[in-house]
Amino acid sequence: MNKILSNFLKIAVTVFLFWWLSRSVDFYELVAYFRSIPTYLVLLIYLLGLINAGAQGLRFFYSVHLLMPPFTKKQAIVSLFAGFTLRIILPGSVGEVGKIFLLPGDNKSRLYTFLLDAFYCTATNLFFFGIACFLLFPKMWYMLGFCFIFIVFFWIYRLLVHTTDFKKHIPDNVPYFKFGVANITFTTLTMVVYVSQYWALLKQYGMDLFEVAKSSIFILGVGFIPFSFAGMGFRENGAKYVLEMFNVPSEAAVGVALLIFSANVLFPALIGVIMLTFVSDIKLHDIKEMVKRKERES
């Protein structure tokens, strides 16, 4: 019941945010913006989206390589794209964590690997988000506090280890240094690709690379707000708000955010549907049935 309510609230928030956005964005102008984008540029954005997904895969699979049994290329590719699919269709149940169950290993190693990978990835994104906020809005100097998120997460981790039974969920001999360096490196690479997508679409409005970088990282961070469906609504409103500072039309700002979201999330999710339907040993309908069974049991 709580999961159903959570999903309903997220959808409601998403609808409200887009309704709010529609009050200042003309739908026909938005469609006109999409039609004005050259085909080669759309293809470039989607190609960069696949590179982005690949960089995320390299980050995740190196993490898995350090803590879990060997896996095949087929398992890796299916798991990568399945993660995007599960994030979209099962946000309140399995979510992206489900992808790790498509790889060999015990549940203890699977869950810890996913949590540690998500820890470094989230902390790296929030680190750059704090810097972007400060550069865009110097009066909001306190946003630099996000740069210390690694320290905060570390102390939370230490607290969990020493005051709860969390320690029993930690595998032996975790190579934290290798894990962290690789994760931060690959996460930074995905951000470079992400900025490149915005740069390709926004340079026509006279924005230089530095302006695009801090704006796009701000938009990425706003999309992390977990109170809507897949960050939708927050991301587009954030794009409209920040890009108006650089004289980008509202329709173009929202259009850019939507196009890049479709290239980075929706397109890989569609590939994931195909993989789970025709390639994976564990099919999409099997995962849905498993989730329904777990929800009935709870």
Side-chain angles (χ1 to χ4, degrees):
M1 182 65 182
N2 290 335
K3 292 178 180 178
I4 295 174
L5 181 60
S6 174
N7 286 339
F8 174 78
L9 289 175
K10 285 186 176 183
I11 294 172
V13 170
T14 304
V15 171
F16 171 78
L17 290 171
F18 274 103
W19 170 80
W20 182 267
L21 193 62
S22 69
R23 299 176 65 191
S24 56
V25 174
D26 185 276
F27 174 77
Y28 295 102
E29 290 293 331
L30 178 60
V31 172
Y33 169 72
F34 283 127
R35 296 180 64 180
S36 71
I37 305 174
T39 302
Y40 79 88
L41 196 52
V42 174
L43 294 175
L44 174 62
I45 298 304
Y46 275 83
L47 175 61
L48 289 171
L50 288 177
I51 294 174
N52 189 320
Q56 292 183 51
L58 290 173
R59 183 203 78 221
F60 179 67
F61 296 130
Y62 184 77
S63 301
V64 174
H65 165 74
L66 291 175
L67 293 178
M68 291 173 58
F71 49 87
T72 66
K73 292 180 180 179
K74 173 186 172 181
Q75 289 172 322
I77 295 172
V78 170
S79 173
L80 169 63
F81 288 105
F84 290 96
T85 303
L86 297 176
R87 185 196 310 174
I88 294 296
I89 67 174
L90 301 172
S93 303
V94 176
E96 191 178 10
V97 68
K99 68 184 180 184
I100 202 165
F101 289 93
L102 297 173
L103 298 173
D106 60 86
N107 289 344
K108 175 180 176 179
S109 297
R110 284 169 169 164
L111 289 174
Y112 187 77
T113 301
F114 178 83
L115 290 173
L116 194 58
D117 176 75
F119 157 75
Y120 280 112
C121 177
T122 302
T124 302
N125 277 284
L126 291 178
F127 175 84
F128 286 109
F129 174 70
I131 295 175
C133 285
F134 174 70
L135 292 174
L136 287 166
F137 313 105
K139 291 183 178 180
M140 297 174 63
W141 55 267
Y142 48 84
M143 297 299 286
L144 288 172
F146 282 107
C147 296
F148 301 98
I149 201 71
F150 277 108
I151 298 174
V152 175
F153 281 177
F154 172 76
W155 282 110
I156 292 175
Y157 174 80
R158 294 275 295 180
L159 185 65
L160 288 172
V161 168
H162 291 292
T163 62
T164 69
D165 293 331
F166 184 72
K167 188 174 183 179
K168 67 182 183 182
H169 300 291
I170 303 175
D172 298 327
N173 304 316
V174 179
Y176 291 103
F177 181 76
K178 284 184 178 181
F179 204 112
V181 170
N183 195 294
I184 293 170
T185 300
F186 284 122
T187 301
T188 303
L189 176 60
T190 64
M191 298 185 77
V192 170
V193 177
Y194 184 80
V195 170
S196 299
Q197 289 175 305
Y198 271 89
W199 168 239
L201 293 169
L202 291 174
K203 62 181 180 179
Q204 63 173 308
Y205 296 101
M207 294 181 67
D208 61 40
L209 184 57
F210 181 65
E211 291 171 338
V212 170
K214 59 187 181 182
S215 299
S216 57
I217 291 172
F218 172 82
I219 297 167
L220 178 65
V222 171
F224 271 73
I225 298 175
F227 301 124
S228 72
F229 185 75
M232 295 184 69
F234 284 109
R235 183 186 304 103
E236 290 72 25
N237 276 280
K240 174 183 176 296
Y241 176 75
V242 73
L243 294 178
E244 281 182 343
M245 297 168 53
F246 301 99
N247 299 315
V248 177
S250 298
E251 290 78 15
V254 174
V256 167
L258 287 172
L259 178 60
I260 292 177
F261 173 72
S262 71
N264 290 348
V265 179
L266 297 183
F267 183 50
L270 176 60
I271 296 176
V273 171
I274 297 171
M275 291 281 183
L276 287 170
T277 303
F278 300 106
V279 180
S280 175
D281 296 326
I282 301 176
K283 304 301 182 183
L284 182 57
H285 62 81
D286 296 328
I287 296 175
K288 289 182 177 179
E289 287 299 319
M290 178 189 69
V291 172
K292 290 179 181 178
R293 186 169 61 252
K294 292 292 184 182
E295 289 181 341
R296 285 195 298 266
E297 292 174 355
S298 60

